[in-house]
Amino acid sequence: MRVLIAKDYEKISREAAQIVYELVRRKPNCVLGLATGSTPLGLYRELVKMHKEEGLDFSNVKTFNLDEYYGLSPEHPQSYRYFMNENLFKGLNIKMENTMVPDGSVKIGELEQYCRRYEELIKQAGGIDLQVLGIGGDGHIAFNEPGSSLGSRTRLVALDENTIEDNSRFFDSSADVPRFALSMGVATILEAKEIIFLATGAKKADVVAKALEGPVTSMITASALQLHPKVTAILDEDASDSLSRVAFYRFAADAEQKAGARLF
Ligand code: F6R
């Protein structure tokens, strides 16, 4: 895994945006996997800037989001569809019909088929070229809470109490946070051709160390990223504080510059 430690949030966001930029330039009809939450906001701001100032063209790009609260309609201000429209899609020249976010208002009886269809759409698009991920306080990627099978696919999941508490900052109170979500599975995520994993802040330090350097376990679903051949973890100094191999990561990042190649 490439582990890059950046000074601050701006640098993390720019580093991540550069990876997306290069992909979109190289493959204008690429497929991006996207996350919500506070961590990727800086990356999305950078992408909007790259579109506006450098003409980065998203007109043939397709996107698939990781997850959506179950029970919220796409118009709900706390829905992930609304978040994506406001924080990214509106600022790009992407076609809205090329942006896929799971629909949290699908009827319960139709969910299984809906989730299977979501996976099929990813396959039909040629698979996800680059997946953006954050990490939850309990080690989740997407909404794959501790105990989620590492072989899981897109499905309805129950949210962990920690996640409800963490995400209550976006709602009036924790009672308003939905208890369920639709989420890509761990196995779905691992099929992406490349992954950018972002984490910031001291609160994430211990869980980041478990994910990147601990055993692969369904109790920290982000640890499954160790099984993927092309992951770039981009961390700020606070989030990297509990890692045991920081000196090596810095050395490898330096060596990359000299080699002029990315070292996974
Ligand atoms: C959001 C998602 C989640 C978040 C995670 C971190 O689509 O899939 O796994 O990435 O909960 O959230 P923040 O960035 O708000 O700390």
Side-chain angles (χ1 to χ4, degrees):
M1 193 182 296
R2 280 175 92 208
V3 180
L4 306 180
I5 301 167
K7 266 236 141 16
D8 54 36
Y9 186 60
E10 290 305 303
K11 289 230 168 61
I12 290 184
S13 303
R14 255 185 269 134
E15 193 81 52
Q18 187 59 29
I19 297 175
V20 179
Y21 178 91
E22 284 167 22
L23 172 66
V24 174
R25 276 278 149 95
R26 192 174 69 245
K27 186 176 177 188
N29 62 345
C30 65
V31 180
L32 301 176
L34 300 175
T36 59
S38 21
T39 314
L41 279 172
L43 159 65
Y44 296 159
R45 276 196 292 271
E46 285 295 322
L47 293 178
V48 169
K49 208 163 123 201
M50 285 168 161
H51 167 63
K52 297 224 149 86
E53 291 175 8
E54 298 171 54
L56 189 63
D57 180 14
F58 287 83
S59 60
N60 290 308
V61 171
K62 272 196 178 158
T63 65
F64 287 89
N65 263 75
L66 289 167
D67 42 20
E68 176 62 282
Y69 288 118
Y70 186 60
L72 298 193
S73 71
E75 297 77 34
H76 193 288
Q78 258 71 44
S79 74
Y80 285 171
R81 159 56 76 182
Y82 190 91
F83 175 101
M84 291 308 300
N85 289 354
E86 291 301 308
N87 291 297
L88 183 64
F89 301 146
K90 273 185 177 175
L92 306 176
N93 65 334
I94 196 162
K95 298 186 183 94
M96 284 307 266
E97 66 269 27
N98 284 346
T99 68
M100 267 61 73
V101 180
D103 182 349
S105 63
V106 169
K107 289 198 200 88
I108 195 95
E110 292 164 16
L111 271 184
E112 217 182 300
Q113 201 189 348
Y114 177 81
C115 291
R116 216 174 308 135
R117 176 92 188 118
Y118 199 71
E119 296 253 346
E120 264 165 35
L121 288 175
I122 296 174
K123 280 208 183 84
Q124 279 167 21
I128 290 171
D129 290 298
L130 180 64
Q131 176 68 57
V132 176
L133 293 178
I135 181 171
D138 62 4
H140 69 218
I141 45 175
F143 274 135
N144 294 289
E145 301 288 32
S148 295
S149 163
L150 302 186
S152 51
R153 315 290 322 187
T154 303
R155 69 209 184 286
L156 179 70
V157 294
L159 299 184
D160 191 273
E161 259 178 76
N162 290 309
T163 301
I164 292 170
E165 211 37 59
D166 279 352
N167 290 6
S168 62
R169 66 190 195 276
F170 300 112
F171 291 81
D172 289 338
S173 77
S174 54
D176 295 326
V177 184
R179 266 43 187 171
F180 297 92
L182 300 181
S183 176
M184 278 192 206
V186 178
T188 322
I189 293 169
L190 291 182
E191 279 171 7
K193 291 168 195 131
E194 181 170 355
I195 293 174
I196 311 179
F197 170 82
L198 304 172
T200 60
K203 266 174 74 182
K204 299 269 176 83
D206 287 349
V207 81
V208 163
K210 285 182 186 153
L212 303 192
E213 295 180 340
V216 174
T217 167
S218 65
M219 295 310 286
I220 304 280
T221 53
S223 67
L225 297 177
Q226 294 175 36
L227 301 170
H228 193 284
K230 222 172 169 196
V231 177
T232 301
I234 314 179
L235 316 170
D236 67 2
E237 288 183 348
D238 287 342
S240 68
D241 220 28
S242 301
L243 291 168
S244 65
R245 285 168 56 75
V246 167
F248 173 77
Y249 304 136
R250 291 195 188 280
F251 166 78
D254 229 46
E256 276 200 348
Q257 307 280 339
K258 289 180 190 125
R262 290 156 70 193
L263 306 175
F264 286 97

